[in-house]
Amino acid sequence: MIGAAAPIRARRVLPGFTLSLGTTLLYLVLVVLIPVLALILKGAEIGPERFWQIVTSPRTLAAFRITLTAAAIATVFNAVYGVLMAWVLVRYEFPGKRILDALMDVPFALPTAVAGLSLTALFSANGWFGQYLDAAGIQVVYTIWGIVLAMTFTSIPFVVRTVQPVLEDLDTTLEQAAMTLGARPWTIFARVVFPAILPAFLAGSTVAFARSLGEFGAVVFIAGNLPMKTEIASLLAYIRLEEYDYIGAAAIALVLLVFALVLLLVSNLLQIWAARYREVK
Amino acid sequence: MTITITGMRKRFGPTEVLRGIDLTVEKGELVALLGPSGSGKTTLLKIIAGLDWPDMGGLDVDGVNWLNLPAQDRRIGFVFQHYALFPHMKVRDNIAFGLTVRPRSQRPGRGVIAARVDELLHLLQIAHLGDRYPAQLSGGQRQRVALGRALAIEPTVLLLDEPFGALDAAIRRDLRNWLREVHGATGSTSIFVTHDQEEAFELADRVVIMGQGQIEQIGSADQIHDRPATPFVANFMGATVEIPVTMRAGRIEAAGIDATRLERRVLPDGPATLFLRPDDITPIADTQGCWTIETVASTGATLRIALKDGAGNRVETVLPRRAPEAAGLTPGTRTHLRPEAGSVFPGPRPATTPAPAAQAPAKENIR
Ligand SMILES: Nc1ncnc2c1ncn2[C@@H]1O[C@H](COP(=O)(O)OP(=O)(O)O)[C@@H](O)[C@H]1O
Ligand SMILES: [Mg+2]
């Protein structure tokens, strides 16, 4: 830029846009993109027919079905619970609130294997909870409900932590306005509060779902891992790997990857739609 | 709807926000609550709306005790200071909200609601904005939508909290006239809050002056201007000059003050305080006078003159630069002061007169 006409550029907070963008991109490529790419290439090596054969084998299909079903149930539960929890944490003052708030992060902090072990201990037929459930004829451990439980536990914080800040920023005069216009509490929630938290809610639920799809450590302890019954997809991929069946493992992993990507895409489209009123023309 | 408020008290923790409010607003009246920031205006309005509850006192509307009635059942139109439009709804849906949330049995049909919204959009002169989101509107347009939303439920009482506070002067004037018309057309009982005197006096049938949780005076513009009921009101109305005087047989006496233009007052003899507006004081050159001019500043049309007396009291006066009295007023000149109008209250100068909120209304955004 030589000469009098050089445009004056606004100063940026971080020095060197090129450097900072370069670093972050490089990091992204190394840590995220290359593994994903390698997986796709590995999958492409297989060839469509073989690929199709692997992913439609009864055991693989069952694993996908179990994983998706359990993750869906866990996500529905966490979505509802997450909004409720965020509401309680934002709108009420009570003793122990800060402790409860901090507890919300435990599932993030706890090694998933530890979570899996403790849940198994609690819910096994002679565990603290398990003995009563067993008496009532309900079995959790070694069933799909055990998988749901493990997935629920490890993805609890996502919805809470995405919705909470939005709720904190929500202008309470909106709710007051709705009251003066005759809206009852439930209507106010459905028509005023929920639309405001919807984009964050969708984002949180998606991440919770994606996390549940891939959850491994907590699940394998409690699931019993019976093929066709309680075997999740990522475990099956692991088993294939142990059997030196790299192709089988890659095919399963690729399908999981596609699930996750489609999920993210759909969720982002929904979020854009839910936040459409924010963009000012 | 006649609104009767009796003995209303409210505290937030240690602060007494309302300290015994008694007020009756007649059916169809337009009343302004005027007072400095923090005087409890919004709190009073919210209690009337059912968004807050008093610690003590009564709120009676046409014989019904409203304190037993939730906000939803009061059928009031509330216009919030910062509009509180629903950001995710288009203008139409915002206006229709109060109708669409009614229980199914009382809800008008879709066609009826749409027609009502159209009618309001028309009345509000924003027919072309129906399909926009609030984020796409200017402040004045948002204000109209907020009013439209409140009017859609055909409220019997309309409450407005600083309805024009955040708008610029020209739009304020516009909306003011228009609010008057709307009030007249709907026949509702209306109360609006403001800290702008001009707005209060121009719009309202009666103005209620509030100071620190109490009603200081209720009256028309002229009554409040000429006969402030308390030192607070005098000060709030711009009488920021306070001079200690002595009452003797209804006459005001003080060294260096020519009180001949002030009326006699029925006040007991003894010490009193004279409240004057700076532009109601004329300094008269007088070699025997005990006031000395310190500075003279001209704004072109007026002169702002600062004076001091031997005891160290300071007074500021404003007078037209071309007034005959202004000739020869230069720094160092000795004068006496001739108040043209003023109000006097018994007793020495009260310790707790508020800052002159009239000149510099504090911004009202503190929540
Ligand atoms: N929810 C609240 N909690 C605590 N103090 C409050 C609350 N609302 C208002 N106040 C206090 O009450 C006083 C009066 O407030 P407000 O009614 O908003 O006055 P105004 O509308 O006249 O400016 C202020 O001192 C304010 O700080
Ligand atoms: Mg206020």
Side-chain angles (χ1 to χ4, degrees), chain A residues 171 173-174 176-185 187 191-192 195 276-277 280-281, chain B residues 46 51 72-73 76 80 84-89 97-98 100-101 133 135-136 149 367:
Chain A
D171 183 0
T173 56
L174 294 183
Q176 296 184 339
M179 272 171 81
T180 64
L181 292 165
R184 303 288 153 181
T187 312
R191 297 206 35 199
V192 177
R276 66 204 175 285
Y277 57 89
V280 184
K281 57 147 211 187
Chain B
K46 285 199 165 166
L51 300 173
Q72 284 94 340
D73 298 331
I76 42 135
F80 289 81
L85 296 179
F86 304 125
H88 58 283
M89 292 182 203
F97 187 85
T100 56
V101 297
Y133 287 106
Q136 299 167 312
R149 186 178 64 174
R367 272 198 298 158

Side-chain angles (χ1 to χ4, degrees), chain B residues 123-175:
Chain B
L123 174 76
L124 298 156
Q125 299 153 12
I126 46 171
H128 56 298
L129 302 175
D131 290 320
R132 291 211 192 162
Y133 287 106
Q136 299 167 312
L137 302 178
S138 73
Q141 291 168 340
R142 284 180 207 182
Q143 185 57 272
R144 286 166 193 253
V145 178
L147 202 56
R149 186 178 64 174
L151 291 175
I153 60 169
E154 294 175 336
T156 45
V157 175
L158 192 58
L159 305 172
L160 306 103
D161 192 0
E162 311 242 358
F164 315 121
L167 303 174
D168 50 51
I171 300 174
R172 283 172 93 111
R173 214 160 301 126
D174 223 35
L175 281 178

Side-chain angles (χ1 to χ4, degrees), chain A residues 2-272:
Chain A
I2 311 161
I8 299 165
R9 289 199 292 175
R11 283 175 173 264
R12 295 191 160 89
V13 179
L14 282 178
F17 170 66
T18 339
L19 185 66
S20 45
L21 181 71
T23 315
T24 45
L25 274 186
L26 181 70
Y27 187 80
L28 189 73
V29 167
L30 279 179
V31 175
V32 179
L33 227 50
I34 288 184
V36 168
L37 212 64
L39 184 60
I40 291 171
L41 289 177
K42 193 82 195 162
E45 271 174 28
I46 306 169
E49 258 167 60
R50 179 97 181 84
F51 181 87
W52 191 246
Q53 203 185 342
I54 294 171
V55 299
T56 55
S57 77
R59 187 169 169 189
T60 320
L61 274 184
F64 284 138
R65 203 193 62 236
I66 290 160
T67 311
L68 280 174
T69 313
I73 298 172
T75 304
V76 168
F77 178 81
N78 276 343
V80 175
Y81 174 84
V83 170
L84 205 64
M85 192 71 216
W87 182 265
V88 168
L89 285 176
V90 172
R91 288 299 170 87
Y92 298 104
E93 286 304 325
F94 51 92
K97 172 170 158 170
R98 280 168 177 279
I99 297 172
L100 186 64
D101 199 355
L103 274 180
M104 276 296 104
D105 290 327
V106 166
F108 276 164
L110 206 64
T112 50
V114 176
L117 271 175
S118 10
L119 288 176
T120 311
L122 280 178
F123 285 91
S124 63
N126 50 10
W128 283 359
F129 299 154
Q131 51 185 324
Y132 302 111
L133 291 172
D134 201 47
I138 301 166
Q139 215 199 334
V140 174
V141 170
Y142 307 147
T143 67
I144 191 166
W145 295 111
I147 302 176
V148 170
L149 187 68
M151 287 177 172
T152 305
F153 180 86
T154 51
S155 58
I156 278 178
F158 290 103
V159 175
V160 182
R161 289 299 187 224
T162 46
V163 168
Q164 197 178 2
V166 181
L167 217 46
E168 261 160 15
D169 287 346
L170 190 65
D171 183 0
T172 49
T173 56
L174 294 183
E175 289 154 59
Q176 296 184 339
M179 272 171 81
T180 64
L181 292 165
R184 303 288 153 181
W186 179 247
T187 312
I188 296 177
F189 181 79
R191 297 206 35 199
V192 177
V193 177
F194 193 67
I197 60 174
L198 185 58
F201 173 75
L202 286 171
S205 303
T206 314
V207 185
F209 190 63
R211 166 76 191 254
S212 294
L213 280 184
E215 180 51 42
F216 181 80
V219 175
V220 291
F221 284 93
I222 203 169
N225 309 323
L226 295 170
M228 310 295 294
K229 289 213 173 68
T230 59
E231 187 177 58
I232 55 165
S234 40
L235 177 69
L236 186 58
Y238 178 74
I239 291 172
R240 292 287 181 247
L241 206 61
E242 294 234 289
E243 294 165 346
Y244 300 104
D245 179 5
Y246 292 115
I247 287 177
I252 296 169
L254 202 57
V255 173
L256 281 179
L257 177 72
V258 170
F259 278 157
L261 289 182
V262 169
L263 191 67
L264 281 178
L265 180 72
V266 171
S267 162
N268 273 297
L269 290 176
L270 281 175
Q271 284 171 54
I272 291 171

Side-chain angles (χ1 to χ4, degrees), chain B residues 4-15:
Chain B
T4 311
I5 298 164
T6 43
M8 190 164 286
R9 289 174 174 276
K10 169 83 185 168
R11 51 164 67 240
F12 287 111
T15 22

Side-chain angles (χ1 to χ4, degrees), chain B residues 12 17 36-43 364:
Chain B
F12 287 111
V17 178
S37 187
S39 53
K41 308 181 296 291
T42 298
T43 306
E364 279 278 282

